[in-house]
Structures are given as structure tokens and as C-alpha cells.
Amino acid sequence: MKRLLILLFFIATTASAQHKFTQFSLRGGLDLGHKYNMPPTVKMPLAGFNAGFSADKYWSFWGIGIDVDVYTNKAARYDSSGLNANSYTFSATKMQRYFAGIGPSFKLQAGKLVAELNLRGGISYADGSAIKADAVFAGPLNMSMFNHAGYNKKHYGAAKAKASVNYYFTPKWAVQAGAYYLYHINSEAPYSYSEIIALPNNVNYVKDITSVSSYGVFAGVSYRIFPVKKKKQTQTLPPAAVLLKDIQVYVKDELTGQPLPDVTVALFNAAGKIAEAATDKNGKVVFPQTTQLDYTVKASLNDIAATYGTVDKEQYTAGDIVVTLTHNDPRFTLVGKAVNKTSGEAEGDVNVTLTNETKSSVRQASSKAGSGEFRFQLEGGSEFNVAGKKKNYLSNIEKISTKGLNRSQALYVQLELGVEEAVEGKEIRLEKIYYDLDRSDLRPDASSDLKKLILFLRDNPTLRIELSAHTDARGSDAHNLRLSQARAQSVVDYLVRNGISKDRMVAKGYGEMKPVNACTDCTEAAHQQNRRTEIKVL
């Protein structure tokens, strides 16, 4: 009781003004009935269940409420071990109780959470819980080991204390969980039992008194109704000027505090949804010139809802109306941009594929016209491949990773995805195609450009290409011509092994005949420029 009074004082001193509402709750759970002053041979507590209904009217942090409950408990058990009786009989009945009470209620609100303390006094009804145990010993000697008539449909005064927490996932609906203690006043009832010291003559016949209480836990749902303000009866006056104000909404990432763009924000009043818009790059959206009413603001991004906010009519007579919402998505956000490698401009309508190599999942998105932007949500601790697809375009394959990134410090992962149009006759260089010195076999660490070439040919099944290889000017013309032809054929063979028809490709070795620079006394860098592998659409 002392702890309950401390909790009550805390609520009273910290919740000076809270919203008014009426709350209705349905609940059910585990009840543990307890009969005091029982000998150890009668096992307590009595397991069972509880079910109940509450109605509470709150004017501020305090209010008044009623509880109606039903409790059903199992029959008691009598421990007959160690009796050494010739025979033993035992009977017991279940305990059934009802409670109805009224009393003060106190609450403390913190966002969507409402903590409650309810104190109730009222009347209870108890029936059953009779216990009878008899034994026959040598002699024969018949003996009553325990006898309690139970509660024969009796009424008692009762006191109940209940503490619970409600989580309001909407403005009106909540899930509830809590615990309680119930004491039945003046529920004392006699019982008797035999205390055997030595048979047959040394036996104590004990008479005593027991009373009943119970405690338990529960879960349930709550629904609350807010009062409707009554219209004042006034004389007919000329219509007052209508107050109009902008409602400014900001949405932030809960973990980093960064503003979130492209969040869908909706504005609701009593008639339903009246407006919807997306946040800008600063995480802001404005609903202009709204009428003086009560509103609810909701937001969602990537199918995850943000916290919701409310606007009261009274705010129209104060300063600016600003609502701040937070959004909690544990994933990272990939902000990508598709770029044309020839022009350097953003490329729209690129179908981008994100492959999670760690979790073997695939997602797709399209780059936006004008900005070339595309977005994905990235799971933490994963490796990813990103590739694009557009008709007659060759796309890079990029690798990204979220391993080692801390979500509470970083939200965005930036990426630029290069694409290049492969028009007829245009020569496109494949980077870092590796061969061993003076050999035509592809090395195991061959470039990812070969993989992107496979994707390009699969995505454009009607195109034919020339695949050419070039050497620098060192070595004889004949040797360089043979080596470049063999290297070009090696790339074609690699593509054939990966499902590309050989009829779509022509291998051509040019040796040193088509240098990209006209140097005579060439540096190593100049030689490197001339050593290359290219494709050309035929």
C-alpha cells in the first residue's frame, strides 16, 4: 500500500494537466487466489483466470471509474504424503468470485503511453472452494484430516488496487497490460484439521480461520472517447472572420535527426483525409491556409508509418502551427544517380536492379527523368551489387556494403551508376581486362566489365557486336596481330560459356594497327592506353 501511495503522489505532482476523455477497457489474464493461514498440507495459490470490464472518466490527471470482474480458480490440493493411512479420500471444489467496485483513477500521459492507477471499493461474491480430506488408519480409526466448508454464495466488502499501461496506437484505440491485488473484506471462514503427533491418542484437533484474496496480471484493449464541446447559445451575430493558417509539418529520421524528403504526409479532420503531399529536401511540407479545425497529421515512408501529430483549434489564435514527426526505419537509404558516361548528364528511365548478395534478395527501381535519381533501402551488415538496364545502353556494375556502418550515425549511402549508349559503329572500351604477360588466356580476376557486357547482351538479344583487342607497338606486327586475335577470341569464348550465342559476336584482333595516340617514343602510360579491349555494335 505504501508503494501505491508513492506512485499516486508522483502522478499527482507531475501530471498537472492532461487531456479529458472517457475510457473503456476489456481485459483477461492469470489470477492467483490465496487463502490465508492455511496449513502447509493445503497448497496455495489457486491458479485460475480473470476477465473484466472498466469504465473511467478523466477530467485531468484524475478521474473516477468502475470495475466489474469475474475470477475462476482451480480447486485446492491436499498433500497426503506421509500419512501412512489404510485409505484416504479427498474432495474439493473450484472457487468462483465476482467483483464490482467504484473509486478514483489516476493517470500519467507520455506521448502514446498512458500509465494508470485505479483504486476501487465495492462488493464481492464468493462461492465454492470447499476442501475435505478423511483418512482411515489401523484400528480401524476414522479421522477427519481437513475440513473447510468454503464460501456458500456469500457477499463481502472488497478493495482492489490495479496498475496498468496503455499504448495508444491510434488516437482512440490502445493495447493494455497490468497487474492487480484484490482483498475480500470480512471473508473470514472457519476450518479444522488434525495434527497427528502419535496415533491413536496423541492427535491435536485444530480449529482456525482463513480469509481470501487474489493477485494477478492481465492484458486487453482500451477505447477512449473525447468530449464534444457544447455550442454556446448566443444571439445571432454577423459571421466572424474565418481564421486561416498554414500547417507546417517536418519529418525527421528518429536515429540521426536528419530531415527526410519524399515522405507522404496526410492531413485529416473529422470528415476524413483532406490533403496529401510529400516532404521536400528539408523534410518539410506545408498545408496552406487551413480552416480553424482540429486536425490529425500522419506520415509514411517505405511502408513504415511515422509518429502522428495533432493540431487543436486553439493553436490558430497563437503563433505558427508547426508539427514535427519522427520516422524509425533501421535500414540505410541508398541515394543513387544514373549518369550518362558520354555526356555527363543525368540519365532517366534506367531500370536499376539491387542484389543483396548476403541475403540473396533482389529489388528494382527506375531512375527519375531529369535527376536520374533512384533509391533503395539497405539492410545492415550486407554486401550489394547495383546494375542498370536500358535499351541499347551498357551499364556499370557497382558494389556497395553496409558492413561496419553505424545506423545511429549514418542514414544515406551515395552512389553514381554510369551508363553508356551503344549506338551502331561506336567503340566502347572495356576497362581492366586482364591477361597474363604475352598470353591470351583471361585471368581469374577479369574485370566486372565482362559481367556488365553479359547483362547488356542478354538485355538486348537482337544486337550483334564486334569484340576487338589491341596491343601496343612493342613486338613484331605479326606477333601482335596473332596475340590480339587470340585475346579477342578468348573474350568471345568467355561470353559463349556464359550463355551468349557465338553468332552474335565477331572476334577481331587489330594488333598495333589502331593506336589511340600517335606517340613515337611512347611512355609506359601511352603504351597502356593502346593496350585495350573494345566492343562495337554492328
Side-chain angles (χ1 to χ4, degrees), residues 299-469:
S300 177
L301 178 64
N302 302 319
D303 298 322
I304 297 177
T307 57
Y308 70 88
T310 58
V311 176
D312 296 330
K313 288 190 290 187
E314 289 76 8
Q315 293 178 250
Y316 281 76
T317 60
D320 293 339
I321 301 177
V322 179
V323 178
T324 301
L325 309 179
T326 59
H327 183 264
N328 188 356
D329 185 344
R331 299 171 295 179
F332 297 87
T333 298
L334 169 63
V335 181
K337 181 180 180 181
V339 176
N340 189 303
K341 295 171 66 175
T342 302
S343 67
E345 300 294 329
E347 188 71 39
D349 300 320
V350 177
N351 185 19
V352 183
T353 298
L354 174 78
T355 303
N356 187 326
E357 299 291 349
T358 304
K359 299 185 178 181
S360 302
S361 62
V362 177
R363 279 169 283 166
Q364 292 184 327
S366 292
S367 64
K368 296 179 181 179
S371 67
E373 183 180 291
F374 57 90
R375 291 184 176 230
F376 291 100
Q377 295 306 107
L378 306 178
E379 296 81 3
S382 298
E383 304 280 353
F384 301 87
N385 283 339
V386 183
K389 175 183 176 182
K390 187 174 182 179
K391 187 175 181 180
N392 294 339
Y393 276 76
L394 189 65
S395 168
N396 286 353
I397 299 176
E398 303 292 347
K399 293 183 178 294
I400 54 177
S401 173
T402 57
K403 291 182 177 179
L405 296 183
N406 187 336
R407 178 61 181 81
S408 64
Q409 298 176 355
L411 170 60
Y412 296 109
V413 177
Q414 305 290 337
L415 174 71
E416 186 173 287
L417 180 66
V419 295
E420 186 172 5
E421 187 174 13
V423 297
E424 184 176 339
K426 179 181 179 180
E427 295 177 339
I428 299 175
R429 180 169 180 162
L430 301 179
E431 301 294 339
K432 300 177 183 179
I433 305 299
Y434 298 120
Y435 307 91
D436 287 326
L437 179 64
D438 205 33
R439 295 182 62 85
S440 61
D441 297 330
L442 283 171
R443 280 169 35 186
D445 57 344
S447 163
S448 64
D449 275 19
L450 288 178
K451 296 180 181 178
K452 78 178 185 182
L453 181 57
I454 293 171
L455 292 178
F456 170 73
L457 292 172
R458 287 175 179 172
D459 293 339
N460 298 273
T462 61
L463 293 184
R464 296 182 68 251
I465 63 169
E466 176 188 274
L467 206 147
S468 59

Side-chain angles (χ1 to χ4, degrees), residues 114-274:
V114 178
E116 291 185 272
L117 174 64
N118 310 110
L119 304 178
R120 302 287 187 258
I123 190 170
S124 63
Y125 167 91
D127 186 30
S129 196
I131 310 170
K132 183 174 177 59
D134 297 307
V136 179
F137 297 92
L141 175 61
N142 297 324
M143 185 176 298
S144 173
M145 300 305 300
F146 189 90
N147 187 25
H148 174 41
Y151 302 94
N152 186 16
K153 300 181 179 179
K154 292 184 178 182
H155 293 84
Y156 304 99
K160 178 184 175 184
K162 179 179 68 179
S164 61
V165 175
N166 294 276
Y167 175 75
Y168 277 91
F169 53 90
T170 75
K172 292 186 176 182
W173 284 99
V175 290
Q176 180 189 67
Y180 64 88
Y181 175 77
L182 174 65
Y183 182 72
H184 299 273
I185 302 171
N186 295 328
S187 62
E188 289 81 4
Y191 70 91
S192 63
Y193 67 95
S194 298
E195 187 179 63
I196 301 174
I197 300 174
L199 291 174
N201 298 319
N202 197 357
V203 178
N204 289 335
Y205 295 95
V206 181
K207 292 184 178 182
D208 213 331
I209 292 176
T210 184
S211 59
V212 66
S213 69
S214 69
Y215 50 91
V217 294
F218 59 86
V221 295
S222 297
Y223 178 80
R224 62 182 175 183
I225 300 174
F226 296 95
V228 178
K229 296 182 179 179
K230 296 182 179 179
K231 295 182 179 179
K232 295 181 179 180
Q233 299 295 327
T234 59
Q235 296 179 351
T236 303
L237 298 173
V242 177
L243 290 178
L244 301 175
K245 271 194 174 182
D246 295 348
I247 296 178
Q248 304 175 50
V249 181
Y250 292 87
V251 186
K252 298 180 179 180
D253 177 55
E254 183 174 307
L255 296 176
T256 63
Q258 291 182 257
L260 294 177
D262 300 321
V263 180
T264 301
V265 182
L267 186 66
F268 296 80
N269 63 15
K273 183 166 70 174
I274 62 168

Side-chain angles (χ1 to χ4, degrees), residues 98-113:
Y98 302 90
F99 168 76
I102 187 170
S105 297
F106 305 90
K107 68 180 176 69
L108 175 63
Q109 294 183 217
K112 297 182 180 181
L113 294 176

